Each structure stands twice: as structure tokens, then as C-alpha cells.
């Protein structure tokens, strides 16, 4: 595994859910805790949770925490905070807090595809890019220049030749929970 910083993005406002989704229970623990527990199983150089104080106060996390004071300005604010906290030469693996079914095998496959030059992400049976996404160190400046709510997909679209999809046969592993209907499917 190349030196990699894991950045867990968890400062969203959950507008489509109508409540802070990352604290809703899935499998007996807050949704975000699944992503944190998964990240903790890997030997990342650094692991940084980018979140709000309200969420930070409710999770069990031994890694670093970067509080996003302006999540309403879009996902780019969290991306920039995570990149700023990362080791300068590391690849950057962005995990989302709302993918409670994501597994070690998927993360392992993404990390194995890291050549130090690529943008690596999973695709399910629909062949559409999903999270988590890994960016080689050369994309650091592009990620720091992001604005608005587009996040890393803006960088991915700028560099199609650098994109490296990793196929995940079970598309359910890549699902994110955004709406009450999504949550009902996975709630206890």
C-alpha cells in the first residue's frame, strides 16, 4: 500500500433526509460509525474525520478531527480541510460517512490500484463512478482549488485519462443513504 491519508467526509447538512442522517442508527450504531470503524482497520498514514462539532461529539474516533465551520458552503470546504490535514506526499482516499455497507475488500481493491498517478474509484453493475475515491498526490492542488458542492468529481472530470475504475460486483456495498426512503431500507 502506498502512503495514504484517509479523509472521512461527514459535515453534510442532510437536507434530503430532513435530519442529521449520519447520527441515525444502522446496525446498532450511528451511520457514520461504520465508515470510521472501516477506516480504522487500515494502516493509513493519517486518518482525518472532517465533520461538524455536533457529529464529532457523538462518535467514537481515535483519529484526527477537522471541524468544518462552514458546511453550508458545500462539500469543497470539507475536501479542502481534509487535504490540508493530509501528509503532502500521500495519496488521498475520500470516504463518505453515509455508506454503512462499504467493506474492507472494496477499500483494499482501491488501494491496490493506486499507482501513484491515478484517480481510483469503484463502479457497480451500473458502471457509474461511486465513492470512495482515491486521488494520487499530483491532484492535491486541484482538490485544494475546489469551490462549491461538486467535490472531487470535478477533478475526476478534468482528468479522464487518469481515471481507473475498480469493479465491485455487489452494487449494494456502494449505496449511500440520502433520503428517508433509503434509510427505511437499512434501518434497524
Amino acid at each position: 500500500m502506498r502512503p495514504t491519508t484517509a479523509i472521512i467526509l461527514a459535515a453534510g447538512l442532510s437536507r434530503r433526509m430532513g435530519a442529521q442522517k449520519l447520527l441515525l442508527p444502522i446496525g446498532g450504531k450511528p451511520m457514520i460509525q461504520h465508515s470510521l470503524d472501516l477506516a480504522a482497520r487500515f494502516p493509513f498514514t493519517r486518518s482525518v474525520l472532517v465533520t461538524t462539532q455536533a457529529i464529532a461529539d457523538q462518535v467514537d474516533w481515535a483519529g484526527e478531527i477537522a471541524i468544518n465551520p462552514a458546511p453550508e458552503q458545500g462539500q469543497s470546504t470539507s475536501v479542502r480541510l481534509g487535504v490540508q490535514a493530509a501528509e503532502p506526499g500521500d495519496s488521498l482516499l475520500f470516504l463518505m460517512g453515509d455508506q454503512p455497507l462499504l467493506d474492507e475488500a472494496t477499500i483494499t481493491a482501491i488501494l491496490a490500484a493506486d499507482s501513484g498517478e491515478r484517480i481510483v474509484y469503484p463502479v457497480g453493475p451500473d458502471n457509474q463512478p461511486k465513492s470512495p475515491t482515491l486521488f494520487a498526490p499530483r491532484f492535491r492542488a486541484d482538490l485544494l482549488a475546489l469551490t462549491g458542492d461538486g467535490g472531487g468529481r470535478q477533478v475526476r472530470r478534468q482528468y479522464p485519462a487518469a481515471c481507473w475504475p475498480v469493479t465491485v460486483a455487489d452494487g449494494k456495498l456502494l449505496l449511500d443513504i440520502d433520503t428517508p426512503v433509503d434509510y427505511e431500507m437499512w434501518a434497524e
Side-chain angles (χ1 to χ4, degrees):
M1 179 174 126
R2 291 183 41 74
T4 304
T5 294
I7 301 166
I8 303 98
L9 299 178
L13 301 176
S14 302
R15 288 185 179 112
R16 290 180 280 176
M17 182 65 75
Q20 182 42 262
K21 67 181 178 180
L22 297 177
L23 297 176
L24 294 174
I26 298 278
K29 56 187 172 183
M31 185 186 311
I32 180 62
Q33 195 65 50
H34 294 271
S35 296
L36 298 175
D37 293 347
L38 179 60
R41 293 195 286 270
F42 288 87
F44 295 118
T45 307
R46 295 177 92 166
S47 295
V48 181
L49 170 62
V50 181
T51 192
T52 62
Q53 190 64 56
I55 293 172
D57 291 343
Q58 299 294 319
V59 297
D60 180 20
W61 178 242
E64 298 174 50
I65 296 176
I67 300 297
N68 185 339
E72 68 281 353
Q73 293 179 14
Q75 191 179 66
S76 64
T77 59
S78 290
V79 169
R80 290 192 311 270
L81 283 169
V83 173
Q84 289 165 354
E87 289 296 322
D90 276 12
S91 292
L92 306 165
L93 178 65
F94 288 90
L95 297 150
M96 300 297 156
D98 63 356
Q99 288 185 293
L101 302 178
L102 192 62
D103 65 349
E104 285 183 51
T106 301
I107 300 298
T108 299
I110 291 168
L111 294 171
D114 181 12
S115 69
E117 295 294 321
R118 297 176 176 156
I119 300 170
V120 184
Y121 52 85
V123 295
D126 63 359
N127 207 35
Q128 295 299 308
K130 307 286 187 207
S131 292
T133 303
L134 180 139
F135 293 88
R138 72 183 180 115
F139 300 105
R140 184 181 179 98
D142 294 290
L143 292 164
L144 288 171
L146 289 173
T147 59
D149 204 31
R153 77 181 133 258
Q154 294 174 36
V155 176
R156 192 182 68 229
R157 289 180 186 141
Q158 284 181 285
Y159 299 96
C163 291
W164 191 268
V166 171
T167 301
V168 175
D170 185 354
K172 288 182 182 178
L173 298 174
L174 305 175
L175 291 176
D176 59 352
I177 297 176
D178 290 325
T179 68
V181 172
D182 296 341
Y183 179 67
E184 286 175 22
M185 290 182 2
W186 305 109
E188 307 175 289

